[in-house]
Amino acid sequence: MNRTSPMMEQYKKIKEQHPDKLLMFQVGDFYELFFGDAELGAREMEIALTSRGIDNENPIPLAGVPIHAADTYLNKLLAKGFKVVICDQVENSSQATGLVRREITRILTPGTITDPEMLDEGRNNYLMVILRSQEEKYGLAALDISTGDFRVTEFKGDDSYDLILDEIRRLQPSEILCSSSDLEKSLRTTLNAFNSALIETLPVIPDIKETEELIKKHWNNNIWEALSLDSYPLAASAGAAALIYLELLQQLPPAVNHFHNIELYFSKKNMIIDSITNRNLELTQSLRTGGRQGSLLGLSDRCMTGMGRRLLKRWIDQPLLDKSQIEERFDAVEELVGKPIPRKNLRKKLDDIFDLERFCSRLTYQRINARDLVALKNTIRLIRPLKDILSELNAPKLKNINVNLPPFEDLALKIESALVSDPPMTIKEGGLFREGYHEEVDRLNKLSSDSGNLLLEYEQNERRRTGIKTLKVGYNRNFGYFMEITKTNLNYVPPDYNRKQTLVNAERFTTEYLQQMEEQVTGARDKLAQLEYKLFEELRNHVLSFAEDLLDAAYQVALLDVIQGLAETAENHHYCRPEFSENREMIIKQARHPVVEQLACERFVPNDLIMNNRHFLLLITGPNMAGKSTYIRSAALIAIMAQIGSFVPAESALMPLFDRVFARVGASDDLSSGHSTFMVEMQETAVILKEATIDSLVILDEIGRGTSTYDGMSIARGVIEYICNKVKAKTLFSTHYHELTRLEGELSGVRNYTMAVKEKGKEVIFLRQIVPGKADKSYGINVARLAGVPPEVLFRAEAYLFELELAASTAAEQQLSLLPMVSEPLSDHRFELELIEQIREIDLNRLTPLEAMQKLFELQNRLLADDNKLDIDKEGK
């Protein structure tokens, strides 16, 4: 019968408290997982699975990772949605009497990570709580404990669930907690493959009275009335439920509130960009790669700090509606565009500033070491040079940053006088403080360092006294200080030596003096380590008193970083400052697509865009690959860039303030929900027609192409008529239904434009230029030729196309049938295919130049002979 060891009993008791989490249990220099956790952890972390107690009848499955490399493995587990409990040894094993004491020091979930090594510096790591009432109202809380961001909101009405989904897709939380298992199931089904968050049901939901008490306790008694939270009970309860969850995870700091502010926000205070539009316009993620590269965010990001990158993403997600705030940003960007030397100096200083926001989080949770404080000192010493540069600038926003950015010079001096410039990683083994900072530290340090000289002197004295020239004084952890004497010299050992250890070729001894020395030195080292740790805690608490000011400073630095980054982008890519129209005009000269122009291999062709109250729906026709989609997307991106306060890729830009931007482009389906491409297209179009206003910008790309030609054309016409008669939003509508161009004379507001092309025989050159008018061809076969479709298919398609066009011209009102078109290829096409096959079989590497010329001559003669024969046949007919 196997007997469970005391350590395994200790493990089981701790594991019972958290059965739903992986327990990483410190054993020496390793974190170990046992039983089912070991099997799961080994598979998910891709490490070896072994056993503890192999000699027993029932060995215990075991998997372990070195503590120094634990973050890498924790990342893997958290990224896959697991929760992890960290159980550390909280006393030194050499000083423990019996079983080493262990305690839970951290409970990690995907939404509660604070370690910077485990986070993407360019995006927030949100924990989201969603409550649903019986009346289908929703409360939402989103918090990032790594930055202190805490926001709540509430949604009512028929579209409230869709708005919740938009917030999930916009904020991209790592963890979502729901008020019920039904809501959890609904979110899992709806979000499916587009979501990687851990979704679970909340353990506790507070009532409104408990909610009010928690909010007031966590912030202050005035916060409830100041935010009118009585009117938004679900938003408040979602925030309170998040606080309770953090407390259960031991993630609420005991003394200081890291969430220095709670924000009640409403998406309608900003330009609304739903998740579909965000995806279609590739605002923050590329459709192709899923990353920043190839998105508007990736292009615009010239920030030097993680704080700036996170703030820039927030700006792009939520453009402004307030013209005065936008103009303030324009003024700041414009001044830095015009002053490249100050901007360059700002960038140089910002590049050396570390992530103050995430530092403040770890400071609040007491998860910093001496190196972090040295990094803080180095960062805040850069604030004075930043302020000196800002003092030379005149834009109001830049002046405000300068005023609101404290220099923290006394704090920097305090850290500088206390800590050595390169302290060790650990804070419990001494070596942290400078000489002269603390008298007792200096004394113990001297005693510890002098012990080496004293021991050397003692060794030399004992050699002289005993005559044993090979006598050595040594030290190890188990036996302390000793004198080692070889067995050949044992006859010379004096009587005051006490035997301590026997080796193969030597004996080890101690003396009363050596024992006193050991007690003195070891005691000094232990006292020094304890004293330095105490002094470090005092210093950390001193820095903690600046936490709120440091967090405010972090925002000011982020703001400055975003503005200089926008200025850098504007100058590098020759952007212009937009202007806002009072009468809803949109006039953009030489507009470019900000991303395509940087990634395109060929020269980008800019285009003008003119819309007003008389012509507000541009119907754009033209062949595939001619640039229709790029053109209409450019308009949307320029509108969004303008309202975040960025300069735009154009020669000049006059535009209205848009309340929403909609983009229905491309083909997508949702097979897991049983929705086809056409169904998804119609759902997205329905939302646009319902939500768009006269102040919106709508981008519609080839509506109706997912069904039959006549159905699609009818739907497209119906959409255009509805927008013109009911919505009157600024709309760019691209289509291949050339019949719709007749609407220009029938519907007020419609204006036809087309993408210009140049034909040269069978070759088509896309000019990428938008011109007034309409297209009469789609040039689909030409595009297929460019794509490398086999010639036989192209010839067959040309034959079909000719017969279809002929039939359509003679019987315009009849439904066309494709069945009669199944016939043999034309004879001349068959001959051309034979020639192509002969050319393909020629091995040019085996032909001399003369032979190649001869082969070419033969092929040409055959082709000319066939042309003559074809001409004779035509004349005979």
Side-chain angles (χ1 to χ4, degrees), residues 539-553:
L539 179 61
R540 182 175 60 194
N541 289 335
H542 177 72
V543 176
L544 186 58
S545 66
F546 290 85
E548 193 165 337
D549 292 335
L550 287 168
L551 210 50
D552 289 337

Side-chain angles (χ1 to χ4, degrees), residues 552-656:
D552 289 337
Y555 174 73
Q556 299 301 325
V557 171
L559 192 55
L560 176 61
D561 196 17
V562 173
I563 291 169
Q564 71 75 25
L566 292 177
E568 185 80 3
T569 303
E571 186 187 38
N572 289 348
H573 302 320
H574 308 293
Y575 291 176
C576 74
R577 175 173 177 160
E579 296 179 21
F580 291 109
S581 149
E582 299 296 332
N583 55 2
R584 297 198 183 96
E585 282 184 306
M586 189 172 186
I587 304 172
I588 306 174
K589 297 292 185 182
Q590 301 294 284
R592 290 126 50 202
H593 190 295
V595 180
V596 173
E597 75 164 337
Q598 298 304 314
L599 301 180
C601 300
E602 58 190 56
R603 184 182 71 85
F604 189 90
V605 179
N607 278 291
D608 293 348
L609 172 65
I610 301 174
M611 288 195 285
N612 51 41
N613 292 331
R614 288 179 58 247
H615 298 125
F616 54 82
L617 190 149
L618 304 189
L619 189 61
I620 302 162
T621 52
N624 284 310
M625 288 185 62
K628 297 192 304 296
S629 294
T630 298
Y631 176 70
I632 64 176
R633 282 182 171 96
S634 300
L637 290 173
I638 286 173
I640 290 167
M641 291 173 73
Q643 287 183 227
I644 71 171
S646 169
F647 283 20
V648 299
E651 193 177 281
S652 66
L654 176 69
M655 63 187 65

Side-chain angles (χ1 to χ4, degrees), residues 212-225:
E212 184 175 352
E213 289 173 358
L214 274 168
I215 299 288
K216 287 181 175 180
K217 176 185 174 184
H218 206 73
W219 282 278
N220 58 63
N221 287 326
N222 301 323
I223 195 74
W224 190 265
E225 289 75 21

Side-chain angles (χ1 to χ4, degrees), residues 682-702:
M682 290 299 97
Q683 287 175 333
E684 293 176 6
T685 303
V687 169
I688 293 172
L689 298 179
K690 179 183 175 184
E691 301 291 340
T693 72
I694 195 171
D695 293 317
S696 300
L697 177 62
V698 177
I699 306 298
L700 294 170
D701 191 8
E702 299 185 35

Side-chain angles (χ1 to χ4, degrees), residues 476 479 482 484 498-503 506-509:
N476 70 30
F479 292 97
F482 56 81
E484 188 171 295
N498 299 314
R499 183 176 279 102
K500 196 167 191 178
Q501 186 184 13
T502 300
L503 303 178
E507 296 276 350
R508 288 176 175 175
F509 299 87

Side-chain angles (χ1 to χ4, degrees), residues 217-255:
K217 176 185 174 184
H218 206 73
W219 282 278
N220 58 63
N221 287 326
N222 301 323
I223 195 74
W224 190 265
E225 289 75 21
L227 295 179
S228 303
L229 291 177
D230 271 330
S231 303
Y232 307 102
L234 279 176
S237 293
L243 295 175
I244 292 172
Y245 179 70
L246 291 180
E247 195 163 19
L248 289 172
L249 295 182
Q250 303 178 19
Q251 293 281 21
L252 276 182

Side-chain angles (χ1 to χ4, degrees), residues 248-316:
L248 289 172
L249 295 182
Q250 303 178 19
Q251 293 281 21
L252 276 182
V256 180
N257 176 17
H258 172 48
F259 303 111
H260 70 299
N261 191 21
I262 177 172
E263 176 189 352
L264 179 64
Y265 79 99
F266 298 98
S267 57
K268 292 184 180 179
K269 289 184 178 180
N270 298 84
M271 176 199 280
I272 298 175
I273 304 172
D274 61 34
S275 58
I276 305 299
T277 299
N278 190 310
R279 184 193 72 212
N280 287 336
L281 294 178
E282 298 181 286
L283 295 183
T284 56
Q285 283 184 315
S286 163
L287 281 172
R288 187 173 59 86
T289 66
R292 285 187 168 208
Q293 190 67 30
S295 69
L296 178 64
L297 176 61
L299 169 96
S300 305
D301 186 0
R302 295 294 179 273
C303 296
M304 309 304 291
T305 70
M307 301 171 285
R309 292 187 180 97
R310 293 191 294 273
L311 183 60
L312 175 62
K313 182 180 183 298
R314 196 178 307 170
W315 281 18
I316 292 175

